[in-house]
Structure formats: C-alpha cells, structure tokens
Amino acid sequence: MKPGAQIVLSNAARLYAPLIALFALTLVVARAPGEGVGFIAGLMFALAFVVHGLIFGAAASRAAFPPLAARLCLALGIIGAACGAGLPGWRFSQVAIEAGLFAATASAAALIVIVLFGRAPMLRDADW
C-alpha cells in the first residue's frame, strides 16, 4: 500500500488486530480446559493475522510471524497436544491439549495465509 493510502483501514487494522489477538489469548487462559476452546482461540488468532495480511500485505505478514517460527510453533503445538492426549492421568493434560490446539491452529492458519497471500497482491486503490 502506498503511504497515506487507505489510512482508515490501516489504522483500524493497527487498532483491532492486537485486540483480536488479546481476545484469543484471553479465551485460552480464562476458559476451563476441556471445552475445546483451544481450537476456537487459534481461529481467532488467525483472524488477527488475516486482517494484518490483507491490509499490509504478504511481506509484512512474513515479517510479523516468520514461516520458520510458524513451523516451530506448529510442531510444538502438535507435540503438546499429543503429550496431553497420551498422558490422560497427568494433572495438566487437558490444559496441554488446549494450548497445543491453540498453537497448532494459529500457526497452521498463519502458514496458510502466508502461502495464499504470497500469491495474491495486497489491497490496492484500483480494487475499490
């Protein structure tokens, strides 16, 4: 996006993307484990990433959450969910499953957004 173009959208994205991410983290922390909230919170976190990618472009998305970090987060999320599911007698197994689902969903969605937005142009003035 050109500097100064679509100033309302860029400022709204700067305001609401962190609030959406904070809401997603609040869902994970505040809800009782075992309700399946990790997946929903991961989707909410991915929504913040999609808003950021739509407004600022694929390069800004890759800079905000590098693909290597997303892959590492995805692997750790899968490992955490598998450890929680594999150890049902463990006291924090449901918490590990929810946190793992959150990390895996958010990072997988981020990788998908990076791939899809890397092939499409960012929002341009001519599209309006």
Side-chain angles (χ1 to χ4, degrees), residues 3-126:
Q6 306 298 340
I7 195 163
V8 173
L9 285 177
S10 63
N11 285 336
R14 285 188 186 130
L15 174 68
Y16 287 120
L19 291 176
I20 294 170
L22 183 64
F23 177 68
L25 292 173
T26 304
L27 277 178
V28 170
V29 173
R31 294 286 183 154
E35 294 180 356
V37 75
F39 179 72
I40 302 300
L43 289 178
M44 290 299 298
F45 195 82
L47 175 68
F49 196 74
V50 166
V51 166
H52 185 269
L54 279 174
I55 301 299
F56 300 111
S61 296
R62 280 191 298 274
F65 196 25
L68 183 62
R71 289 183 186 120
L72 180 65
C73 188
L74 177 63
L76 291 176
I78 291 173
I79 289 170
C83 287
L87 301 170
W90 185 38
R91 183 176 181 183
F92 299 107
S93 65
Q94 289 183 342
V95 174
I97 291 171
E98 295 292 341
L101 280 175
F102 169 71
T105 305
S107 57
L111 285 171
I112 291 170
V113 165
I114 288 171
V115 167
L116 291 178
F117 288 179
R119 297 180 185 270
M122 66 181 178
L123 187 63
R124 300 193 191 281
D125 289 333

